[in-house]
């Protein structure tokens, strides 16, 4: 909601200088100004009948001294083309005319809730009552020439540069973004990425893959400007609360060549592509290569470009227009939460063993080892996203000498044995729904930020001050594990890293020693670490 503030009565004469109507005590309130370019000069005045109605012409105030045209345009270009620009550097103000009223409305609506800044200085934007800008004198003509060059560079080649804190598009930056998702507690699908990134422009193609045990994606926008602002806004944000952190950089690829439309890759411009098996190494081709450049250091500009994708904003779950480092609050997908674990060692596996191992990636509710096929088991997680996470990290790992396979089960829940079941069958099914060992039952738990694939290095925590390094080494050695290295955390002796001989040994050690009692009331906590010693 915009409030029109007129410094004088409507009967009072108006000065031709808009700054005379800026009340310093009202700098946090939007003020509606008009523009008059009579006599072909840059002198501006406030309309006598100022009204807060949408206009293609916008008034910007409280700009930094000596602000450049590029810096002003960096605030507007994400929302559409700018037709005209007038900067009043001595008054720390500017007027710009958007190519459409829709673009101006989108820009004002966004900046109402997310105050923009240039050089860390807040800038205030509101509608002008004037319907267009007149730029007749030589100073204005020079500004328009610069504007045309910048618009052309942004639209055609991505060569817009800036004099202020890296704003604008540096030469050679690509419309293709490389995305890495860290702390992958919930699954991130191609559709989730498309919904998030399409708010910044037209997403043409997406390829997803796993590399170095990390979920990654390549995403191509129709325009470098859109890629630039998507990166500036989303880098470092969490897709879901407390996890699935986006790390975004520019790809060296200038375009993607997608061969198949399926759950791993998608060309939104080609509905005719087959859904053949995707080979990640051959999924894309280098059309041309540009050098990678430093990250873009501008403020967050998430416009809502539903017109590019046809997506209704109501179809995008949660608040996707949030400040950096704030969860995007996506709604987790709805699929079954039961996993089928196969190729287990029937001589060694127990429900408790699977509860501890799968509990690293979610809160296990029930475990059933199949009575007639003891090399198979069903593991029910607390929700489908935890099931996806456990599957992505544990499928293909070695447990008790066997390489296990983890897939989604068609069963919606794990059924408990009927009353007439024998003792052995009863023992093969356990209900852990009330267990005190669940790692993620507290919302916002720090455990959400420490989810890593199995590794030879274990993270130990909850260590009493009375327990020494030698005592911990002896604990692991006495259980048959070869300790290769050990290190207490320098700033917190309650935590330590312990490196074992292999990933398989670390998995076994975690199963056996997690929740091991160290003294009368403290139990050891064990998880996988991404660090090495």
């Amino acid at each position: 909601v915009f409030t029109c503030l007129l410094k004088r009565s409507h009967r009072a004469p108006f000065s031709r200088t808009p700054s005379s109507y800026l009340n310093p005590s009202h700098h946090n309130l939007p003020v509606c100004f008009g523009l008059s370019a009579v006599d072909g000069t840059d002198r501006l005045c406030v309309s006598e009948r100022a009204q807060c109605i949408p206009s293609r012409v916008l008034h910007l105030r409280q700009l930094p001294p000596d602000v450049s045209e590029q810096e002003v345009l960096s605030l507007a270009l994400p929302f559409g083309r700018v037709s005209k620009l007038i900067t009043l550097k001595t008054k720390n103000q500017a007027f710009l005319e958007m190519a459409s009223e829709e673009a101006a409305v989108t820009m004002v609506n966004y900046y109402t809730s997310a105050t923009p800044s240039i050089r860390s200085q807040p800038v205030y934007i509101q509608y002008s009552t004037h319907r267009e800008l007149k730029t007749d004198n030589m100073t204005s003509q020079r500004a328009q020439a610069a504007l045309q060059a910048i618009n052309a560079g942004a639209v055609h080649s991505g060569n817009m540069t800036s004099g202020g804190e890296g704003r604008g598009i540096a030469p050679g930056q690509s419309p293709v973004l490389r995305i890495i998702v860290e702390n992958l507690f919930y699954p991130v699908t191609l559709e989730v990425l498309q919904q998030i990134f399409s708010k910044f422009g037209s997403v043409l193609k997406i390829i997803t893959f796993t590399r170095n045990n990390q979920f990654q994606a390549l995403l191509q926008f129709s325009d470098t400007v859109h890629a630039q602002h998507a990166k500036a806004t989303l880098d470092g944000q969490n897709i879901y609360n407390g996890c699935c952190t986006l790390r975004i950089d520019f790809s060296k690829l200038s375009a993607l060549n997608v061969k198949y439309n399926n759950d791993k890759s998608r060309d939104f411009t080609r509905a005719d592509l087959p859904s053949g098996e995707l080979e990640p190494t051959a999924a894309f081709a280098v059309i041309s290569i540009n050098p990678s450049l430093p990250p873009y250091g501008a403020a967050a500009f998430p416009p809502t470009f539903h017109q590019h994708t046809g997506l209704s904003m109501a179809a995008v779950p949660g608040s996707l227009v949030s400040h950096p480092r704030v969860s995007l609050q996506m709604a987790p997908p709805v699929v079954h939460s039961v996993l089928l674990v196969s190729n287990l060692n029937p001589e060694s596996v127990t429900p408790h063993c699977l509860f501890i191992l799968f509990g690293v990636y979610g809160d296990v509710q029930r475990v059933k080892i199949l009575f007639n096929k003891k090399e198979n088991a069903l593991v029910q997680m607390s929700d489908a996203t935890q099931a996806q996470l456990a599957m992505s990290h544990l499928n293909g790992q070695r447990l008790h000498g066997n390489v296990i396979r983890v897939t989604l089960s068609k069963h919606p829940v794990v059924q408990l044995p009927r009353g007439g079941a024998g003792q052995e069958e009863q023992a093969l099914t356990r209900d852990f729904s009330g267990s005190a060992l669940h790692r993620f039952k507290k919302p916002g738990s720090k455990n959400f930020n420490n989810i890593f694939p199995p590794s030879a290095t274990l993270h130990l925590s909850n260590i009493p001050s009375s327990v020494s390094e030698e005592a911990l080494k002896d604990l692991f050695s006495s259980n048959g594990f070869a300790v290769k290295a050990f290190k207490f955390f320098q700033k917190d002796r309650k935590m330590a890293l312990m490196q074992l001989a292999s990933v398989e040994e670390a998995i076994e050690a975690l199963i056996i020693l997690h929740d091991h009692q160290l003294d009368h009331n403290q139990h050891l906590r064990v998880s996988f670490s991404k660090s090495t010693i």
Side-chain angles (χ1 to χ4, degrees):
V1 177
F2 290 90
T3 305
C4 292
L5 300 174
L6 296 179
K7 185 162 177 107
R8 304 184 184 187
S9 162
H10 68 279
R11 297 186 183 89
F14 283 82
S15 164
R16 303 178 73 84
T17 308
S19 58
S20 67
Y21 292 91
L22 291 177
N23 186 336
S25 66
H26 295 121
H27 276 176
N28 290 326
L29 294 174
V31 183
C32 292
F33 291 100
L35 173 63
S36 173
V38 294
D39 303 326
T41 70
D42 277 342
R43 292 178 297 174
L44 306 170
C45 74
V46 178
S47 170
E48 186 172 347
R49 301 174 63 85
Q51 297 180 27
C52 292
I53 58 175
S55 169
R56 290 189 302 163
V57 180
L58 301 176
H59 176 242
L60 291 73
R61 59 189 176 93
Q62 205 165 311
L63 297 168
D66 300 319
V67 67
S68 68
E69 284 83 1
Q70 290 91 337
E71 288 176 292
V72 175
L73 287 168
S74 72
L75 300 180
L77 282 174
F79 301 90
R81 190 171 65 85
V82 179
S83 301
K84 297 174 184 176
L85 171 67
I86 295 176
T87 56
L88 304 176
K89 296 183 180 180
T90 58
K91 303 181 186 302
N92 300 332
Q93 299 177 43
F95 286 82
L96 57 84
E97 181 182 323
M98 302 299 290
S100 69
E101 185 174 297
E102 180 185 9
V105 170
T106 302
M107 179 174 169
V108 170
N109 286 347
Y110 173 67
Y111 287 136
T112 300
S113 58
T115 303
S117 63
I118 295 178
R119 303 180 200 169
S120 302
Q121 179 172 319
V123 176
Y124 299 100
I125 303 174
Q126 60 276 324
Y127 298 117
S128 167
T129 56
H130 206 78
R131 310 306 296 175
E132 64 176 337
L133 292 178
K134 294 182 180 180
T135 53
D136 297 332
N137 68 2
M138 291 303 296
T139 303
S140 295
Q141 288 174 6
R142 286 195 297 269
Q144 301 326 299
L147 171 61
Q148 290 177 6
I150 292 168
N151 268 330
V155 172
H156 298 299
S157 65
N159 279 343
M160 190 178 82
T161 58
S162 170
E165 291 191 332
R167 278 185 163 76
I169 306 298
Q173 286 186 350
S174 166
V176 180
L177 297 177
R178 183 172 67 96
I179 303 159
I180 298 175
V181 183
E182 298 179 349
N183 301 326
L184 189 70
F185 186 78
Y186 293 120
V188 176
T189 64
L190 183 149
E191 287 77 13
V192 167
L193 293 176
Q194 196 267 348
Q195 286 185 7
I196 293 172
F197 284 83
S198 64
K199 297 188 67 184
F200 299 88
S202 181
V203 174
L204 302 184
K205 304 171 186 178
I206 303 177
I207 296 170
T208 64
F209 54 95
T210 300
R211 181 172 295 168
N212 300 326
N213 283 324
Q214 286 184 313
F215 177 85
Q216 301 188 30
L218 293 170
L219 184 146
Q220 181 182 340
F221 278 101
S222 61
D223 192 283
T224 305
V225 174
H226 301 152
Q228 180 75 4
H229 288 282
K231 178 187 180 302
T233 304
L234 297 176
D235 187 26
Q237 288 207 48
N238 295 326
I239 298 175
Y240 302 109
N241 187 27
C243 62
C244 298
T245 306
L246 293 170
R247 302 298 179 196
I248 305 172
D249 209 340
F250 290 102
S251 171
K252 293 182 179 180
L253 304 175
S254 65
L256 301 178
N257 181 22
V258 175
K259 295 182 177 180
Y260 305 109
N261 281 341
N262 53 31
D263 61 341
K264 300 296 184 184
S265 66
R266 194 76 50 82
D267 185 338
F268 296 99
T269 68
R270 294 278 310 277
D272 60 321
L273 289 179
S275 59
E277 188 68 21
L278 175 66
E279 293 292 337
T281 55
F284 53 86
V286 178
I287 307 304
S288 63
I289 296 180
N290 295 322
S292 59
L293 293 164
Y296 178 64
F301 308 122
T304 52
F305 284 95
H306 350 359
Q307 66 268 28
H308 290 290
T309 62
L311 271 179
S312 165
M313 293 308 298
V316 183
S319 173
L320 299 182
V321 187
S322 50
H323 296 290
R325 309 297 188 269
V326 176
S327 168
L328 299 176
Q329 297 294 329
M330 290 289 292
V334 179
V335 291
H336 289 170
S337 59
V338 178
L339 297 170
L340 172 63
V341 187
S342 56
N343 201 39
L344 293 164
N345 184 335
E347 303 299 324
S348 306
V349 71
T350 65
H352 179 78
C353 151
L354 295 176
F355 165 70
I356 295 296
L357 177 57
F358 281 75
V360 173
Y361 302 104
D363 293 335
V364 177
Q365 302 300 304
R366 293 177 180 178
V367 177
K368 177 192 285 288
I369 296 175
L370 303 189
F371 181 71
N372 293 323
K373 295 181 180 179
K374 293 186 175 63
E375 66 277 9
N376 297 321
L378 296 174
V379 178
Q380 182 179 335
M381 309 298 287
S382 64
D383 60 46
T385 49
Q386 293 182 6
Q388 290 272 0
L389 183 67
M391 179 175 67
S392 66
H393 284 311
L394 294 177
N395 182 44
Q397 297 292 341
R398 190 174 291 273
L399 175 63
H400 301 141
N402 289 11
V403 176
I404 63 172
R405 300 299 174 201
V406 184
T407 58
L408 287 174
S409 169
K410 295 180 180 179
H411 295 281
V413 294
V414 170
Q415 298 289 345
L416 295 175
R418 297 176 181 176
Q423 186 174 355
E424 182 184 2
E425 186 176 354
Q426 295 272 3
L428 292 176
T429 304
R430 291 280 305 276
D431 187 335
F432 296 99
S433 57
S435 174
L437 295 183
H438 286 162
R439 298 176 187 248
F440 307 102
K441 58 185 177 183
K442 293 182 180 179
S445 167
K446 62 183 180 181
N447 292 330
F448 284 98
N449 297 322
N450 295 293
I451 299 172
F452 305 107
S455 65
T457 304
L458 294 173
H459 180 275
L460 312 181
S461 61
N462 205 38
I463 303 170
S465 58
S466 59
V467 176
S468 66
E469 175 179 339
E470 289 305 316
L472 288 169
K473 287 181 176 179
D474 289 344
L475 173 63
F476 280 75
S477 299
S478 63
N479 281 276
F481 305 113
V483 178
K484 297 297 182 181
F486 180 92
K487 181 176 73 174
F488 275 113
F489 278 53
Q490 188 173 1
K491 295 182 179 180
D492 187 354
R493 202 185 168 283
K494 293 180 180 179
M495 296 189 292
L497 295 178
M498 179 173 288
Q499 187 172 331
L500 302 182
S502 66
V503 174
E504 183 179 4
E505 273 203 19
I507 290 175
E508 301 278 0
L510 182 144
I511 292 170
I512 293 173
L513 295 174
H514 178 64
D515 198 46
H516 179 83
Q517 187 169 351
L518 294 176
D519 66 10
H520 66 283
N521 63 354
Q522 284 186 272
H523 294 248
L524 183 66
R525 298 286 178 255
V526 185
S527 57
F528 298 114
S529 173
K530 66 176 180 179
S531 306
T532 56
I533 303 174

